[in-house]
Amino acid sequence: MRFSLAPLALAMAVTPSLALSSEPLVVTTAGRTAQPLKQTTAAVTVLTRADLERIQATSVPEALQRVPGVQISPSGGAGSTTGIFLRGASSEQTLILVDGQRINSATLGSASLQHLNIDQVERIEVVRGPRSALYGSEAIGGVIQIFTRQGYYNQGLKPRVSFAGGTEGTWRRHIGLSGGDAKTRFDLSGSLNETQGIDFSENRNGRLSDHDAYRQQAYSASLAHQLNDDLEVGLNTQEQSGRLEYDNTFSATQEPYNRFEISASSLFANWRASDLLTTRLEIGHSEDRSRNLVKNSTSESVFNTYRDSASWLNTLTLNEQHSVLAGLDWQEDRIHSSNNYAKDQRINRAAFVQHRFNGEYFSTELGVRHDDNEHYGEQDSWNASTIIPLASTTQLVLGYNEGFRAPTFNDLYYPGSESPDLKPETSKNYEIQLRGEHWQTQWSATAFRNNVQELIEWAPIAPGSWTWKPSNVKDARLQGIELEAKRSIYGWNTRLAASFVDPRDRESGHTLQRRARRTLNLDVDRQIGLFSVGASWHASSMRFQNTSNTTESGGYGVVDLRGSWHMSDELRWDLKVTNLLDKHYTVVEGYEQPGTGALLGLTWTPAL
């Protein structure tokens, strides 16, 4: 599939978008502290709870593919292993946070986004571009933070119940209760989702032809209490667990399945020490547990990550123009596996400081972070950015940001492939962003170039060998343009996101595998009395499936339709039809994508 800039420009000119809000949007991920979106020096996209309900998203990856620069790479249907490429960076080079806690696996390096329950998500913030000066390892492509649902002070009690059923034997259930008074807020949530699924593999031999079922259960809880006007304490916790059937493409007789558990919990305290100083202390624990098993067999493969962490953030507001953020991070990773790793524990310590200046004619941000890891050594990361107002509604943002990714336990100590001398992957990113509001349209255009060095690649130790080892052998250049626009015209709401990325191996000149060079997503919605209707179009160009660029999968375009009926103030019916035209396409070679599907749901929010 091919598409050019001409239809994109036309779409931006004539299609409506999301209604503009008079309230300033506040984000926390870009600077590790709350700040208005207009003051951030990063390219940031926010998906609120209202956005998720409007598009009737059923998974976190489905919601994320609407973000410019984000590409999703599922290996089958619901629950299947899903890669994420942010600005052309790999899954291992993108930091994933849930309520501030890292959930990237210490063995694989990636995070199991496909298992995060969308019903428990309050908002998603996507920061595009390196952010290691604030977060350390993994933040080469950017940072994605998922916030679970929170109660609000003085909101009273608000229960919610939802139920949905659809094609492929799909059932979704969710129940939750949030509330708050003048001193305390809370949210409790539980979900259970099941589907008989589709056949993941394109191979129809033997057991590979059966449907691959998926079951996911989840809970989350949050609680915060104001001890006084200056001190708030609280906790967040969530867990996802379940079972996924999948296909072993190397054996048509086995019936493998995976049992997973992903959790993250934290305790925090926010203290306003004075008018000049605020501080936040947070301790957390996260786990990523995975067991691969085979029916009627004692075979078992275990990969578990356990992570303890602590953070201390201090914001010093010197005056209206100058502020300083300084912090300390501590993290201990431990793994337990059916494989015998040479080392199964490591500690990382870090300190960082960042200065912000907000002036009338320009604003600046300058920061540095020092990481000290007992396995791979020390790493420094810098960032420097400036915002130049060109007019009352237009800003020019110039930025330089560094990123790095620490080698995982698999990279360093996988039995038989040990490479303890690996260096961290590093990157240097230059970008320019133009953003503003004109003609009732919020828009942004960003151009970037990210040079990544010391890429870790696994390869056979000799031609034809079954033993693979990693090494620092590649450099890559990730460059591109991102466009985003939101507009409201004649009652229609539209959100448009487009990306043009060129991710290349600098030595061979080949495009990095499984990355499409052009993607586009368009959401259009309208409220008509008690009814709302909407549609989405997601388009992707072709992508190469191997590093030598000899195998490719074609581009595709997928159309979804949706509608809602507010039967009363308490009851809402939702209907969604996915892949309306029953498009057959491949994202990961050898794996199917779902055809036309439908989901009918009912949400009850009784007033108490």
Side-chain angles (χ1 to χ4, degrees), residues 190-219:
S191 301
L192 175 61
N193 299 327
E194 297 174 295
T195 181
Q196 295 178 7
I198 65 170
D199 180 14
F200 287 2
S201 174
E202 292 180 333
N203 191 323
R204 295 293 184 263
N205 294 325
R207 296 293 187 183
L208 298 179
S209 63
D210 64 339
H211 283 208
D212 298 301
Y214 178 57
R215 176 184 174 90
Q216 174 208 58
Q217 54 195 30
Y219 77 85

Side-chain angles (χ1 to χ4, degrees), residues 459-509:
I461 60 175
S465 173
W466 287 92
T467 301
W468 289 48
K469 292 190 69 171
S471 58
N472 298 102
V473 296
K474 276 190 176 181
D475 292 345
R477 184 190 65 225
L478 313 176
Q479 60 184 8
I481 298 173
E482 301 163 345
L483 305 174
E484 188 171 23
K486 297 187 291 184
R487 181 172 178 155
S488 178
I489 297 179
Y490 303 127
W492 287 94
N493 299 321
T494 299
R495 186 174 195 149
L496 177 70
S499 301
F500 305 84
V501 61
D502 182 17
R504 289 189 180 273
D505 178 339
R506 299 188 70 176
E507 181 177 347
S508 67

Side-chain angles (χ1 to χ4, degrees), residues 179-408:
D181 58 19
K183 291 290 187 179
T184 306
R185 58 178 174 86
F186 74 92
D187 186 274
L188 300 172
S189 178
S191 301
L192 175 61
N193 299 327
E194 297 174 295
T195 181
Q196 295 178 7
I198 65 170
D199 180 14
F200 287 2
S201 174
E202 292 180 333
N203 191 323
R204 295 293 184 263
N205 294 325
R207 296 293 187 183
L208 298 179
S209 63
D210 64 339
H211 283 208
D212 298 301
Y214 178 57
R215 176 184 174 90
Q216 174 208 58
Q217 54 195 30
Y219 77 85
S220 65
S222 68
L223 174 67
H225 180 72
Q226 289 185 327
L227 297 175
N228 54 50
D229 291 342
D230 297 322
L231 180 59
E232 179 190 51
V233 295
L235 64 87
N236 296 299
T237 184
Q238 61 84 29
E239 180 177 297
Q240 333 279 325
S241 62
R243 169 179 164 141
L244 168 69
E245 297 177 357
Y246 62 96
D247 290 327
N248 180 358
T249 56
F250 295 100
S251 174
T253 60
Q254 291 186 347
E255 295 183 79
Y257 62 97
N258 173 264
R259 290 192 178 276
F260 63 88
E261 292 183 30
I262 302 169
S263 63
S265 302
S266 62
L267 298 170
F268 66 87
N270 294 318
W271 179 40
R272 186 176 63 183
S274 68
D275 291 339
L276 299 180
L277 177 64
T278 60
T279 187
R280 178 182 176 92
L281 181 63
E282 185 169 7
I283 58 174
H285 176 79
S286 63
E287 299 183 5
D288 182 337
R289 292 182 280 178
S290 175
R291 296 170 57 208
N292 293 305
L293 306 104
V294 178
K295 289 182 181 179
N296 303 318
S297 171
T298 59
S299 173
E300 182 179 61
S301 178
V302 177
F303 292 92
N304 295 344
T305 292
Y306 305 91
R307 178 175 291 122
D308 294 316
S309 62
S311 296
W312 184 29
L313 304 179
N314 298 276
T315 302
L316 180 63
T317 306
L318 301 174
N319 52 43
E320 292 183 355
Q321 293 182 317
H322 295 272
S323 65
V324 177
L325 173 69
L328 300 173
D329 286 336
W330 175 89
Q331 176 181 308
E332 181 182 34
D333 292 340
R334 302 183 305 279
I335 65 169
H336 170 72
S337 175
S338 51
N339 295 292
N340 186 22
Y341 286 75
K343 294 186 179 181
D344 58 10
Q345 176 271 344
R346 69 182 180 189
I347 292 176
N348 191 89
R349 302 174 182 86
F352 61 91
V353 61
Q354 184 153 267
H355 172 266
R356 295 188 181 92
F357 167 76
N358 292 316
E360 180 180 358
Y361 301 106
F362 66 93
S363 300
T364 61
E365 185 176 82
L366 179 64
V368 62
R369 175 183 170 113
H370 178 78
D371 282 84
D372 184 3
N373 190 286
E374 63 178 325
H375 285 196
Y376 63 80
E378 301 181 6
Q379 184 69 40
D380 293 327
S381 305
W382 294 82
N383 79 295
S385 305
T386 183
I387 301 175
I388 304 173
L390 300 182
S392 59
T393 58
T394 308
Q395 293 179 324
L396 174 67
V397 185
L398 305 174
Y400 168 79
N401 306 92
E402 295 182 351
F404 81 96
R405 181 182 81 87
T408 66

Side-chain angles (χ1 to χ4, degrees), residues 26-30 45-46 123-127 143-145 147:
V26 176
V27 298
T28 60
T29 309
T45 298
V46 179
R123 62 192 271 130
I124 303 173
E125 295 182 2
V126 182
V127 180
V143 181
I144 298 174
Q145 180 155 206
F147 296 90

Side-chain angles (χ1 to χ4, degrees), residues 479-587:
Q479 60 184 8
I481 298 173
E482 301 163 345
L483 305 174
E484 188 171 23
K486 297 187 291 184
R487 181 172 178 155
S488 178
I489 297 179
Y490 303 127
W492 287 94
N493 299 321
T494 299
R495 186 174 195 149
L496 177 70
S499 301
F500 305 84
V501 61
D502 182 17
R504 289 189 180 273
D505 178 339
R506 299 188 70 176
E507 181 177 347
S508 67
H510 291 158
T511 300
L512 299 182
Q513 64 180 355
R514 296 182 184 170
R515 279 82 154 175
R517 299 184 66 177
R518 300 181 300 278
T519 58
L520 176 116
N521 199 90
L522 179 64
D523 290 323
V524 180
D525 296 89
R526 181 169 183 173
Q527 188 75 35
I528 307 172
L530 300 177
F531 297 89
S532 65
V533 294
S536 295
W537 176 44
H538 177 70
S540 172
S541 64
M542 59 78 64
R543 64 194 71 200
F544 293 106
Q545 295 291 341
N546 57 359
T547 57
S548 59
N549 288 183
T550 57
T551 303
E552 65 179 68
S553 57
Y556 61 89
V558 178
V559 176
D560 299 337
L561 296 181
R562 55 184 170 269
S564 296
W565 173 33
H566 289 264
M567 185 177 179
S568 68
D569 292 339
E570 299 181 351
L571 292 173
R572 185 186 78 239
W573 289 92
D574 294 315
L575 176 63
K576 183 177 182 180
V577 179
T578 55
N579 197 356
L580 177 69
L581 305 179
D582 199 26
K583 177 69 174 179
H584 178 79
Y585 63 100
T586 297
V587 180

